[in-house]
Amino acid sequence: MTIIEQPDKEPIFKKRSLVRVPIRLGADVFLGGEISKENIDRMIDTMTAFKLLMTSHKIETYRACATSAMREAKNGEEVANTILKKTGINIEIIDGNDEAAIIAATDLHNLIQSDKNYLYVDVGGGSTEFTFYASGKTIASKSFKLGTVRLLDDTVVNSMWEDVEKWIKTTTKPYTKIELIGSGGNINHVYKYSGKTIGKPLSYFYLSSYYQMLNSLTYEERITQLNMNTDRADVVIPAMRIYLSAMKWSRSSKIFVPKIGLADGIVKSLYNDRLKQS
């Protein structure tokens, strides 16, 4: 990502490249407790490729963060050390609170209005991060072990849903005019499919109808009829369930879908750290 600084204005963050490699470590960890030899080898190959891409793009600073699957894996630290030795890339295993804080630092000033309140929901494979904004300020952030891969593997207990519901209702109860902000590959796909103009929100009714349509299709039909990637066609259903639940519990009737997420928060945190040092 390139950062363009402007006198007396907010900096502009522009993506140079976005490369996604869906290894799905959670499929190992949430069921077996550790990362498999096959996926360790895939991670080493992937990190080697990313290092070459960084060299090609002349990247000056980077931060590699591992989230839910790596922090829960029995061999997470061992795998991180192996990758460091093999590739030279230092992977930082961050906890849920760090993850939520990084996402909360994401640049949302173009979207958030001071007279409205927002619940930001970032859905991942192993966890979902929630951040609540009111009057343009961050009020609360929380990470829960509620993710798409966990739901597919049926490793989420009912009490986790109850904890999320309680947190959202308690946090948002004193406020009105609450709208959702959703990030993650699944909601981005749904937004693209909707044909909405950039900046326009999706309604609860649209998302609910889309969710029902997804459930009416087989895995293969989601790939062929909705043009989904094979690694998206299964996790999209539990992802929509999380977004719809968050909308219901926060009394939100619409969801905005800017193209932001954990990666954007990491870049902004690196930029802010550099400003502090200068």
Side-chain angles (χ1 to χ4, degrees), residues 111 180 182-203 206-207 210 228 232 236 240 243 254-259:
L111 180 61
L180 234 68
S183 66
N186 292 294
I187 195 67
N188 282 332
H189 178 92
V190 175
Y191 192 78
K192 183 178 180 181
Y193 179 86
S194 75
K196 281 279 187 181
T197 304
I198 293 176
K200 299 293 183 181
L202 299 176
S203 68
Y206 177 86
L207 210 62
Y210 188 87
M228 288 187 175
R232 175 81 62 215
V236 66
M240 291 308 102
Y243 289 115
K254 58 184 69 172
I255 178 170
F256 291 88
V257 189
K259 289 188 176 181

PDB file of all heavy atoms in Angstrom, residues 111 180 182-203 206-207 210 228 232 236 240 243 254-259:
ATOM      1  N   LEU A 111     -16.912   7.828   6.046  1.00  0.00           N
ATOM      2  CA  LEU A 111     -18.199   7.158   6.156  1.00  0.00           C
ATOM      3  C   LEU A 111     -18.972   7.552   7.411  1.00  0.00           C
ATOM      4  O   LEU A 111     -20.176   7.779   7.371  1.00  0.00           O
ATOM      5  CB  LEU A 111     -17.985   5.638   6.139  1.00  0.00           C
ATOM      6  CG  LEU A 111     -19.230   4.759   6.236  1.00  0.00           C
ATOM      7  CD1 LEU A 111     -20.166   5.026   5.055  1.00  0.00           C
ATOM      8  CD2 LEU A 111     -18.839   3.297   6.270  1.00  0.00           C
ATOM      9  N   LEU A 180     -25.009  -0.523  10.548  1.00  0.00           N
ATOM     10  CA  LEU A 180     -23.891  -1.455  10.548  1.00  0.00           C
ATOM     11  C   LEU A 180     -22.869  -1.074   9.484  1.00  0.00           C
ATOM     12  O   LEU A 180     -23.227  -0.529   8.441  1.00  0.00           O
ATOM     13  CB  LEU A 180     -24.382  -2.883  10.272  1.00  0.00           C
ATOM     14  CG  LEU A 180     -23.968  -3.932  11.313  1.00  0.00           C
ATOM     15  CD1 LEU A 180     -24.678  -3.668  12.619  1.00  0.00           C
ATOM     16  CD2 LEU A 180     -24.271  -5.343  10.830  1.00  0.00           C
ATOM     17  N   GLY A 182     -19.977  -3.359   7.579  1.00  0.00           N
ATOM     18  CA  GLY A 182     -19.493  -4.729   7.461  1.00  0.00           C
ATOM     19  C   GLY A 182     -18.219  -4.818   6.647  1.00  0.00           C
ATOM     20  O   GLY A 182     -18.091  -4.150   5.620  1.00  0.00           O
ATOM     21  N   SER A 183     -17.284  -5.631   7.107  1.00  0.00           N
ATOM     22  CA  SER A 183     -16.075  -5.874   6.320  1.00  0.00           C
ATOM     23  C   SER A 183     -15.763  -7.368   6.321  1.00  0.00           C
ATOM     24  O   SER A 183     -16.207  -8.122   7.179  1.00  0.00           O
ATOM     25  CB  SER A 183     -14.886  -5.064   6.859  1.00  0.00           C
ATOM     26  OG  SER A 183     -14.512  -5.507   8.146  1.00  0.00           O
ATOM     27  N   GLY A 184     -14.999  -7.773   5.323  1.00  0.00           N
ATOM     28  CA  GLY A 184     -14.681  -9.182   5.139  1.00  0.00           C
ATOM     29  C   GLY A 184     -15.036  -9.606   3.722  1.00  0.00           C
ATOM     30  O   GLY A 184     -15.888  -8.992   3.064  1.00  0.00           O
ATOM     31  N   GLY A 185     -14.381 -10.645   3.246  1.00  0.00           N
ATOM     32  CA  GLY A 185     -14.569 -11.083   1.872  1.00  0.00           C
ATOM     33  C   GLY A 185     -15.982 -11.486   1.533  1.00  0.00           C
ATOM     34  O   GLY A 185     -16.451 -11.272   0.411  1.00  0.00           O
ATOM     35  N   ASN A 186     -16.707 -12.053   2.500  1.00  0.00           N
ATOM     36  CA  ASN A 186     -18.057 -12.533   2.217  1.00  0.00           C
ATOM     37  C   ASN A 186     -19.043 -11.403   1.981  1.00  0.00           C
ATOM     38  O   ASN A 186     -19.804 -11.415   1.012  1.00  0.00           O
ATOM     39  CB  ASN A 186     -18.540 -13.425   3.368  1.00  0.00           C
ATOM     40  CG  ASN A 186     -17.765 -14.721   3.455  1.00  0.00           C
ATOM     41  OD1 ASN A 186     -17.834 -15.563   2.570  1.00  0.00           O
ATOM     42  ND2 ASN A 186     -16.995 -14.880   4.518  1.00  0.00           N
ATOM     43  N   ILE A 187     -19.022 -10.401   2.844  1.00  0.00           N
ATOM     44  CA  ILE A 187     -19.952  -9.286   2.665  1.00  0.00           C
ATOM     45  C   ILE A 187     -19.559  -8.464   1.438  1.00  0.00           C
ATOM     46  O   ILE A 187     -20.423  -7.893   0.750  1.00  0.00           O
ATOM     47  CB  ILE A 187     -20.026  -8.404   3.935  1.00  0.00           C
ATOM     48  CG1 ILE A 187     -21.245  -7.469   3.883  1.00  0.00           C
ATOM     49  CG2 ILE A 187     -18.749  -7.631   4.157  1.00  0.00           C
ATOM     50  CD1 ILE A 187     -22.565  -8.180   3.947  1.00  0.00           C
ATOM     51  N   ASN A 188     -18.273  -8.422   1.122  1.00  0.00           N
ATOM     52  CA  ASN A 188     -17.836  -7.720  -0.095  1.00  0.00           C
ATOM     53  C   ASN A 188     -18.398  -8.413  -1.338  1.00  0.00           C
ATOM     54  O   ASN A 188     -18.804  -7.745  -2.297  1.00  0.00           O
ATOM     55  CB  ASN A 188     -16.305  -7.672  -0.175  1.00  0.00           C
ATOM     56  CG  ASN A 188     -15.716  -6.610   0.736  1.00  0.00           C
ATOM     57  OD1 ASN A 188     -16.353  -5.605   1.030  1.00  0.00           O
ATOM     58  ND2 ASN A 188     -14.491  -6.836   1.188  1.00  0.00           N
ATOM     59  N   HIS A 189     -18.414  -9.743  -1.322  1.00  0.00           N
ATOM     60  CA  HIS A 189     -18.970 -10.484  -2.459  1.00  0.00           C
ATOM     61  C   HIS A 189     -20.461 -10.203  -2.602  1.00  0.00           C
ATOM     62  O   HIS A 189     -20.950  -9.975  -3.716  1.00  0.00           O
ATOM     63  CB  HIS A 189     -18.745 -11.984  -2.283  1.00  0.00           C
ATOM     64  CG  HIS A 189     -19.331 -12.799  -3.407  1.00  0.00           C
ATOM     65  ND1 HIS A 189     -18.605 -13.150  -4.531  1.00  0.00           N
ATOM     66  CD2 HIS A 189     -20.583 -13.298  -3.602  1.00  0.00           C
ATOM     67  CE1 HIS A 189     -19.384 -13.826  -5.358  1.00  0.00           C
ATOM     68  NE2 HIS A 189     -20.595 -13.929  -4.811  1.00  0.00           N
ATOM     69  N   VAL A 190     -21.175 -10.221  -1.498  1.00  0.00           N
ATOM     70  CA  VAL A 190     -22.616  -9.961  -1.531  1.00  0.00           C
ATOM     71  C   VAL A 190     -22.890  -8.556  -2.056  1.00  0.00           C
ATOM     72  O   VAL A 190     -23.804  -8.346  -2.856  1.00  0.00           O
ATOM     73  CB  VAL A 190     -23.228 -10.136  -0.122  1.00  0.00           C
ATOM     74  CG1 VAL A 190     -24.706  -9.748  -0.125  1.00  0.00           C
ATOM     75  CG2 VAL A 190     -23.065 -11.577   0.348  1.00  0.00           C
ATOM     76  N   TYR A 191     -22.073  -7.605  -1.613  1.00  0.00           N
ATOM     77  CA  TYR A 191     -22.262  -6.217  -2.046  1.00  0.00           C
ATOM     78  C   TYR A 191     -22.036  -6.077  -3.551  1.00  0.00           C
ATOM     79  O   TYR A 191     -22.805  -5.419  -4.256  1.00  0.00           O
ATOM     80  CB  TYR A 191     -21.306  -5.303  -1.281  1.00  0.00           C
ATOM     81  CG  TYR A 191     -21.616  -3.833  -1.453  1.00  0.00           C
ATOM     82  CD1 TYR A 191     -22.653  -3.238  -0.743  1.00  0.00           C
ATOM     83  CD2 TYR A 191     -20.876  -3.040  -2.335  1.00  0.00           C
ATOM     84  CE1 TYR A 191     -22.954  -1.896  -0.897  1.00  0.00           C
ATOM     85  CE2 TYR A 191     -21.171  -1.707  -2.496  1.00  0.00           C
ATOM     86  CZ  TYR A 191     -22.212  -1.136  -1.771  1.00  0.00           C
ATOM     87  OH  TYR A 191     -22.506   0.189  -1.931  1.00  0.00           O
ATOM     88  N   LYS A 192     -20.999  -6.725  -4.044  1.00  0.00           N
ATOM     89  CA  LYS A 192     -20.718  -6.683  -5.480  1.00  0.00           C
ATOM     90  C   LYS A 192     -21.859  -7.313  -6.267  1.00  0.00           C
ATOM     91  O   LYS A 192     -22.285  -6.793  -7.302  1.00  0.00           O
ATOM     92  CB  LYS A 192     -19.401  -7.405  -5.771  1.00  0.00           C
ATOM     93  CG  LYS A 192     -18.980  -7.357  -7.230  1.00  0.00           C
ATOM     94  CD  LYS A 192     -17.638  -8.055  -7.431  1.00  0.00           C
ATOM     95  CE  LYS A 192     -17.213  -8.012  -8.897  1.00  0.00           C
ATOM     96  NZ  LYS A 192     -15.911  -8.709  -9.111  1.00  0.00           N
ATOM     97  N   TYR A 193     -22.383  -8.410  -5.760  1.00  0.00           N
ATOM     98  CA  TYR A 193     -23.489  -9.111  -6.432  1.00  0.00           C
ATOM     99  C   TYR A 193     -24.741  -8.235  -6.473  1.00  0.00           C
ATOM    100  O   TYR A 193     -25.523  -8.294  -7.425  1.00  0.00           O
ATOM    101  CB  TYR A 193     -23.781 -10.420  -5.700  1.00  0.00           C
ATOM    102  CG  TYR A 193     -24.928 -11.220  -6.283  1.00  0.00           C
ATOM    103  CD1 TYR A 193     -24.720 -12.117  -7.334  1.00  0.00           C
ATOM    104  CD2 TYR A 193     -26.233 -11.090  -5.773  1.00  0.00           C
ATOM    105  CE1 TYR A 193     -25.766 -12.858  -7.863  1.00  0.00           C
ATOM    106  CE2 TYR A 193     -27.284 -11.824  -6.304  1.00  0.00           C
ATOM    107  CZ  TYR A 193     -27.049 -12.699  -7.350  1.00  0.00           C
ATOM    108  OH  TYR A 193     -28.093 -13.433  -7.869  1.00  0.00           O
ATOM    109  N   SER A 194     -24.942  -7.412  -5.450  1.00  0.00           N
ATOM    110  CA  SER A 194     -26.152  -6.592  -5.364  1.00  0.00           C
ATOM    111  C   SER A 194     -26.221  -5.520  -6.446  1.00  0.00           C
ATOM    112  O   SER A 194     -27.305  -5.048  -6.785  1.00  0.00           O
ATOM    113  CB  SER A 194     -26.238  -5.913  -3.991  1.00  0.00           C
ATOM    114  OG  SER A 194     -25.311  -4.832  -3.896  1.00  0.00           O
ATOM    115  N   GLY A 195     -25.053  -5.125  -6.980  1.00  0.00           N
ATOM    116  CA  GLY A 195     -25.022  -4.081  -7.997  1.00  0.00           C
ATOM    117  C   GLY A 195     -25.213  -2.684  -7.438  1.00  0.00           C
ATOM    118  O   GLY A 195     -25.400  -1.724  -8.193  1.00  0.00           O
ATOM    119  N   LYS A 196     -25.142  -2.545  -6.122  1.00  0.00           N
ATOM    120  CA  LYS A 196     -25.318  -1.241  -5.492  1.00  0.00           C
ATOM    121  C   LYS A 196     -24.202  -0.275  -5.880  1.00  0.00           C
ATOM    122  O   LYS A 196     -23.044  -0.671  -6.069  1.00  0.00           O
ATOM    123  CB  LYS A 196     -25.315  -1.393  -3.974  1.00  0.00           C
ATOM    124  CG  LYS A 196     -26.616  -1.896  -3.387  1.00  0.00           C
ATOM    125  CD  LYS A 196     -27.626  -0.768  -3.235  1.00  0.00           C
ATOM    126  CE  LYS A 196     -28.859  -1.227  -2.489  1.00  0.00           C
ATOM    127  NZ  LYS A 196     -29.842  -0.152  -2.348  1.00  0.00           N
ATOM    128  N   THR A 197     -24.558   0.995  -5.994  1.00  0.00           N
ATOM    129  CA  THR A 197     -23.561   2.031  -6.220  1.00  0.00           C
ATOM    130  C   THR A 197     -22.666   2.129  -5.004  1.00  0.00           C
ATOM    131  O   THR A 197     -23.147   2.048  -3.860  1.00  0.00           O
ATOM    132  CB  THR A 197     -24.243   3.395  -6.464  1.00  0.00           C
ATOM    133  OG1 THR A 197     -25.146   3.264  -7.560  1.00  0.00           O
ATOM    134  CG2 THR A 197     -23.217   4.476  -6.766  1.00  0.00           C
ATOM    135  N   ILE A 198     -21.356   2.313  -5.222  1.00  0.00           N
ATOM    136  CA  ILE A 198     -20.406   2.409  -4.110  1.00  0.00           C
ATOM    137  C   ILE A 198     -20.837   3.500  -3.140  1.00  0.00           C
ATOM    138  O   ILE A 198     -21.146   4.620  -3.531  1.00  0.00           O
ATOM    139  CB  ILE A 198     -18.990   2.702  -4.646  1.00  0.00           C
ATOM    140  CG1 ILE A 198     -18.484   1.501  -5.452  1.00  0.00           C
ATOM    141  CG2 ILE A 198     -18.019   2.987  -3.490  1.00  0.00           C
ATOM    142  CD1 ILE A 198     -17.137   1.713  -6.100  1.00  0.00           C
ATOM    143  N   GLY A 199     -20.874   3.148  -1.862  1.00  0.00           N
ATOM    144  CA  GLY A 199     -21.281   4.104  -0.840  1.00  0.00           C
ATOM    145  C   GLY A 199     -22.716   3.939  -0.383  1.00  0.00           C
ATOM    146  O   GLY A 199     -23.095   4.445   0.674  1.00  0.00           O
ATOM    147  N   LYS A 200     -23.525   3.217  -1.181  1.00  0.00           N
ATOM    148  CA  LYS A 200     -24.918   2.986  -0.815  1.00  0.00           C
ATOM    149  C   LYS A 200     -25.023   1.717   0.041  1.00  0.00           C
ATOM    150  O   LYS A 200     -24.369   0.714  -0.244  1.00  0.00           O
ATOM    151  CB  LYS A 200     -25.795   2.836  -2.058  1.00  0.00           C
ATOM    152  CG  LYS A 200     -25.817   4.075  -2.956  1.00  0.00           C
ATOM    153  CD  LYS A 200     -26.491   5.246  -2.272  1.00  0.00           C
ATOM    154  CE  LYS A 200     -26.583   6.451  -3.198  1.00  0.00           C
ATOM    155  NZ  LYS A 200     -27.225   7.604  -2.533  1.00  0.00           N
ATOM    156  N   PRO A 201     -25.858   1.728   1.077  1.00  0.00           N
ATOM    157  CA  PRO A 201     -25.950   0.559   1.965  1.00  0.00           C
ATOM    158  C   PRO A 201     -26.878  -0.527   1.434  1.00  0.00           C
ATOM    159  O   PRO A 201     -27.708  -0.287   0.549  1.00  0.00           O
ATOM    160  CB  PRO A 201     -26.524   1.161   3.253  1.00  0.00           C
ATOM    161  CG  PRO A 201     -27.410   2.269   2.755  1.00  0.00           C
ATOM    162  CD  PRO A 201     -26.691   2.853   1.554  1.00  0.00           C
ATOM    163  N   LEU A 202     -26.727  -1.729   1.986  1.00  0.00           N
ATOM    164  CA  LEU A 202     -27.667  -2.815   1.759  1.00  0.00           C
ATOM    165  C   LEU A 202     -28.687  -2.796   2.890  1.00  0.00           C
ATOM    166  O   LEU A 202     -28.344  -2.507   4.041  1.00  0.00           O
ATOM    167  CB  LEU A 202     -26.940  -4.163   1.757  1.00  0.00           C
ATOM    168  CG  LEU A 202     -25.849  -4.396   0.707  1.00  0.00           C
ATOM    169  CD1 LEU A 202     -25.193  -5.757   0.941  1.00  0.00           C
ATOM    170  CD2 LEU A 202     -26.416  -4.317  -0.695  1.00  0.00           C
ATOM    171  N   SER A 203     -29.920  -3.140   2.586  1.00  0.00           N
ATOM    172  CA  SER A 203     -30.957  -3.171   3.610  1.00  0.00           C
ATOM    173  C   SER A 203     -30.977  -4.525   4.304  1.00  0.00           C
ATOM    174  O   SER A 203     -30.496  -5.537   3.767  1.00  0.00           O
ATOM    175  CB  SER A 203     -32.326  -2.895   2.991  1.00  0.00           C
ATOM    176  OG  SER A 203     -32.703  -3.975   2.137  1.00  0.00           O
ATOM    177  N   TYR A 206     -32.812  -6.920   2.098  1.00  0.00           N
ATOM    178  CA  TYR A 206     -32.035  -7.494   0.993  1.00  0.00           C
ATOM    179  C   TYR A 206     -31.120  -8.602   1.511  1.00  0.00           C
ATOM    180  O   TYR A 206     -31.043  -9.687   0.914  1.00  0.00           O
ATOM    181  CB  TYR A 206     -31.191  -6.417   0.300  1.00  0.00           C
ATOM    182  CG  TYR A 206     -30.319  -6.993  -0.802  1.00  0.00           C
ATOM    183  CD1 TYR A 206     -30.826  -7.146  -2.093  1.00  0.00           C
ATOM    184  CD2 TYR A 206     -29.020  -7.435  -0.551  1.00  0.00           C
ATOM    185  CE1 TYR A 206     -30.057  -7.719  -3.101  1.00  0.00           C
ATOM    186  CE2 TYR A 206     -28.246  -8.009  -1.546  1.00  0.00           C
ATOM    187  CZ  TYR A 206     -28.771  -8.137  -2.818  1.00  0.00           C
ATOM    188  OH  TYR A 206     -28.014  -8.713  -3.810  1.00  0.00           O
ATOM    189  N   LEU A 207     -30.427  -8.335   2.610  1.00  0.00           N
ATOM    190  CA  LEU A 207     -29.485  -9.317   3.144  1.00  0.00           C
ATOM    191  C   LEU A 207     -30.214 -10.594   3.581  1.00  0.00           C
ATOM    192  O   LEU A 207     -29.728 -11.708   3.361  1.00  0.00           O
ATOM    193  CB  LEU A 207     -28.706  -8.718   4.319  1.00  0.00           C
ATOM    194  CG  LEU A 207     -27.283  -9.248   4.536  1.00  0.00           C
ATOM    195  CD1 LEU A 207     -26.411  -8.942   3.333  1.00  0.00           C
ATOM    196  CD2 LEU A 207     -26.672  -8.653   5.798  1.00  0.00           C
ATOM    197  N   TYR A 210     -31.203 -12.495   0.469  1.00  0.00           N
ATOM    198  CA  TYR A 210     -30.016 -13.119  -0.122  1.00  0.00           C
ATOM    199  C   TYR A 210     -29.627 -14.365   0.678  1.00  0.00           C
ATOM    200  O   TYR A 210     -29.272 -15.403   0.108  1.00  0.00           O
ATOM    201  CB  TYR A 210     -28.868 -12.117  -0.145  1.00  0.00           C
ATOM    202  CG  TYR A 210     -27.651 -12.586  -0.902  1.00  0.00           C
ATOM    203  CD1 TYR A 210     -27.530 -12.381  -2.273  1.00  0.00           C
ATOM    204  CD2 TYR A 210     -26.605 -13.231  -0.242  1.00  0.00           C
ATOM    205  CE1 TYR A 210     -26.410 -12.825  -2.971  1.00  0.00           C
ATOM    206  CE2 TYR A 210     -25.482 -13.674  -0.932  1.00  0.00           C
ATOM    207  CZ  TYR A 210     -25.403 -13.462  -2.298  1.00  0.00           C
ATOM    208  OH  TYR A 210     -24.290 -13.898  -2.973  1.00  0.00           O
ATOM    209  N   MET A 228     -19.163 -17.782  -7.340  1.00  0.00           N
ATOM    210  CA  MET A 228     -18.353 -17.755  -6.121  1.00  0.00           C
ATOM    211  C   MET A 228     -17.130 -18.640  -6.259  1.00  0.00           C
ATOM    212  O   MET A 228     -17.171 -19.668  -6.944  1.00  0.00           O
ATOM    213  CB  MET A 228     -19.178 -18.235  -4.919  1.00  0.00           C
ATOM    214  CG  MET A 228     -20.229 -17.271  -4.447  1.00  0.00           C
ATOM    215  SD  MET A 228     -20.993 -17.864  -2.914  1.00  0.00           S
ATOM    216  CE  MET A 228     -22.059 -16.473  -2.547  1.00  0.00           C
ATOM    217  N   ARG A 232     -15.256 -19.760  -1.042  1.00  0.00           N
ATOM    218  CA  ARG A 232     -16.221 -18.770  -0.571  1.00  0.00           C
ATOM    219  C   ARG A 232     -17.618 -19.376  -0.457  1.00  0.00           C
ATOM    220  O   ARG A 232     -18.409 -18.981   0.409  1.00  0.00           O
ATOM    221  CB  ARG A 232     -16.273 -17.587  -1.555  1.00  0.00           C
ATOM    222  CG  ARG A 232     -17.317 -16.535  -1.253  1.00  0.00           C
ATOM    223  CD  ARG A 232     -16.867 -15.581  -0.196  1.00  0.00           C
ATOM    224  NE  ARG A 232     -15.696 -14.860  -0.621  1.00  0.00           N
ATOM    225  CZ  ARG A 232     -14.710 -14.483   0.185  1.00  0.00           C
ATOM    226  NH1 ARG A 232     -14.780 -14.794   1.467  1.00  0.00           N
ATOM    227  NH2 ARG A 232     -13.651 -13.835  -0.254  1.00  0.00           N
ATOM    228  N   VAL A 236     -19.853 -18.455   3.100  1.00  0.00           N
ATOM    229  CA  VAL A 236     -20.703 -17.269   2.933  1.00  0.00           C
ATOM    230  C   VAL A 236     -21.992 -17.384   3.747  1.00  0.00           C
ATOM    231  O   VAL A 236     -22.494 -16.373   4.259  1.00  0.00           O
ATOM    232  CB  VAL A 236     -21.008 -17.025   1.436  1.00  0.00           C
ATOM    233  CG1 VAL A 236     -21.861 -18.134   0.843  1.00  0.00           C
ATOM    234  CG2 VAL A 236     -21.658 -15.657   1.231  1.00  0.00           C
ATOM    235  N   MET A 240     -23.195 -14.625   6.567  1.00  0.00           N
ATOM    236  CA  MET A 240     -24.440 -13.861   6.497  1.00  0.00           C
ATOM    237  C   MET A 240     -25.252 -14.008   7.781  1.00  0.00           C
ATOM    238  O   MET A 240     -25.911 -13.061   8.226  1.00  0.00           O
ATOM    239  CB  MET A 240     -25.277 -14.310   5.300  1.00  0.00           C
ATOM    240  CG  MET A 240     -24.697 -13.956   3.940  1.00  0.00           C
ATOM    241  SD  MET A 240     -24.275 -12.206   3.772  1.00  0.00           S
ATOM    242  CE  MET A 240     -22.480 -12.276   3.981  1.00  0.00           C
ATOM    243  N   TYR A 243     -23.769 -11.450  10.241  1.00  0.00           N
ATOM    244  CA  TYR A 243     -24.153 -10.074   9.926  1.00  0.00           C
ATOM    245  C   TYR A 243     -25.619  -9.813  10.241  1.00  0.00           C
ATOM    246  O   TYR A 243     -25.974  -8.776  10.823  1.00  0.00           O
ATOM    247  CB  TYR A 243     -23.882  -9.764   8.453  1.00  0.00           C
ATOM    248  CG  TYR A 243     -22.415  -9.650   8.101  1.00  0.00           C
ATOM    249  CD1 TYR A 243     -21.816 -10.569   7.230  1.00  0.00           C
ATOM    250  CD2 TYR A 243     -21.625  -8.640   8.633  1.00  0.00           C
ATOM    251  CE1 TYR A 243     -20.471 -10.474   6.913  1.00  0.00           C
ATOM    252  CE2 TYR A 243     -20.272  -8.540   8.321  1.00  0.00           C
ATOM    253  CZ  TYR A 243     -19.707  -9.468   7.454  1.00  0.00           C
ATOM    254  OH  TYR A 243     -18.369  -9.378   7.138  1.00  0.00           O
ATOM    255  N   LYS A 254     -29.813  -1.153   8.009  1.00  0.00           N
ATOM    256  CA  LYS A 254     -28.966  -1.101   6.815  1.00  0.00           C
ATOM    257  C   LYS A 254     -27.518  -1.361   7.181  1.00  0.00           C
ATOM    258  O   LYS A 254     -27.091  -1.155   8.327  1.00  0.00           O
ATOM    259  CB  LYS A 254     -29.112   0.241   6.108  1.00  0.00           C
ATOM    260  CG  LYS A 254     -28.779   1.454   6.950  1.00  0.00           C
ATOM    261  CD  LYS A 254     -29.027   2.771   6.218  1.00  0.00           C
ATOM    262  CE  LYS A 254     -30.493   3.032   6.002  1.00  0.00           C
ATOM    263  NZ  LYS A 254     -30.744   4.400   5.465  1.00  0.00           N
ATOM    264  N   ILE A 255     -26.750  -1.823   6.200  1.00  0.00           N
ATOM    265  CA  ILE A 255     -25.334  -2.116   6.402  1.00  0.00           C
ATOM    266  C   ILE A 255     -24.518  -1.512   5.265  1.00  0.00           C
ATOM    267  O   ILE A 255     -24.822  -1.716   4.086  1.00  0.00           O
ATOM    268  CB  ILE A 255     -25.089  -3.641   6.511  1.00  0.00           C
ATOM    269  CG1 ILE A 255     -23.587  -3.947   6.672  1.00  0.00           C
ATOM    270  CG2 ILE A 255     -25.670  -4.402   5.326  1.00  0.00           C
ATOM    271  CD1 ILE A 255     -23.298  -5.406   7.015  1.00  0.00           C
ATOM    272  N   PHE A 256     -23.494  -0.742   5.628  1.00  0.00           N
ATOM    273  CA  PHE A 256     -22.561  -0.171   4.661  1.00  0.00           C
ATOM    274  C   PHE A 256     -21.394  -1.142   4.493  1.00  0.00           C
ATOM    275  O   PHE A 256     -20.981  -1.813   5.450  1.00  0.00           O
ATOM    276  CB  PHE A 256     -22.037   1.184   5.143  1.00  0.00           C
ATOM    277  CG  PHE A 256     -23.070   2.272   5.143  1.00  0.00           C
ATOM    278  CD1 PHE A 256     -23.885   2.474   6.240  1.00  0.00           C
ATOM    279  CD2 PHE A 256     -23.234   3.090   4.031  1.00  0.00           C
ATOM    280  CE1 PHE A 256     -24.852   3.482   6.239  1.00  0.00           C
ATOM    281  CE2 PHE A 256     -24.195   4.094   4.013  1.00  0.00           C
ATOM    282  CZ  PHE A 256     -25.004   4.283   5.122  1.00  0.00           C
ATOM    283  N   VAL A 257     -20.853  -1.199   3.272  1.00  0.00           N
ATOM    284  CA  VAL A 257     -19.777  -2.156   2.990  1.00  0.00           C
ATOM    285  C   VAL A 257     -18.603  -1.459   2.305  1.00  0.00           C
ATOM    286  O   VAL A 257     -18.422  -1.574   1.088  1.00  0.00           O
ATOM    287  CB  VAL A 257     -20.290  -3.326   2.122  1.00  0.00           C
ATOM    288  CG1 VAL A 257     -19.219  -4.418   2.026  1.00  0.00           C
ATOM    289  CG2 VAL A 257     -21.578  -3.905   2.669  1.00  0.00           C
ATOM    290  N   PRO A 258     -17.796  -0.729   3.059  1.00  0.00           N
ATOM    291  CA  PRO A 258     -16.583  -0.150   2.473  1.00  0.00           C
ATOM    292  C   PRO A 258     -15.526  -1.231   2.310  1.00  0.00           C
ATOM    293  O   PRO A 258     -15.549  -2.244   3.016  1.00  0.00           O
ATOM    294  CB  PRO A 258     -16.151   0.880   3.521  1.00  0.00           C
ATOM    295  CG  PRO A 258     -16.647   0.300   4.810  1.00  0.00           C
ATOM    296  CD  PRO A 258     -17.938  -0.414   4.481  1.00  0.00           C
ATOM    297  N   LYS A 259     -14.612  -1.044   1.388  1.00  0.00           N
ATOM    298  CA  LYS A 259     -13.573  -2.049   1.161  1.00  0.00           C
ATOM    299  C   LYS A 259     -12.417  -1.834   2.125  1.00  0.00           C
ATOM    300  O   LYS A 259     -11.341  -1.366   1.756  1.00  0.00           O
ATOM    301  CB  LYS A 259     -13.102  -2.009  -0.290  1.00  0.00           C
ATOM    302  CG  LYS A 259     -14.134  -2.541  -1.267  1.00  0.00           C
ATOM    303  CD  LYS A 259     -13.563  -2.676  -2.661  1.00  0.00           C
ATOM    304  CE  LYS A 259     -14.581  -3.308  -3.600  1.00  0.00           C
ATOM    305  NZ  LYS A 259     -14.059  -3.480  -4.963  1.00  0.00           N
TER     306      LYS A 259
END
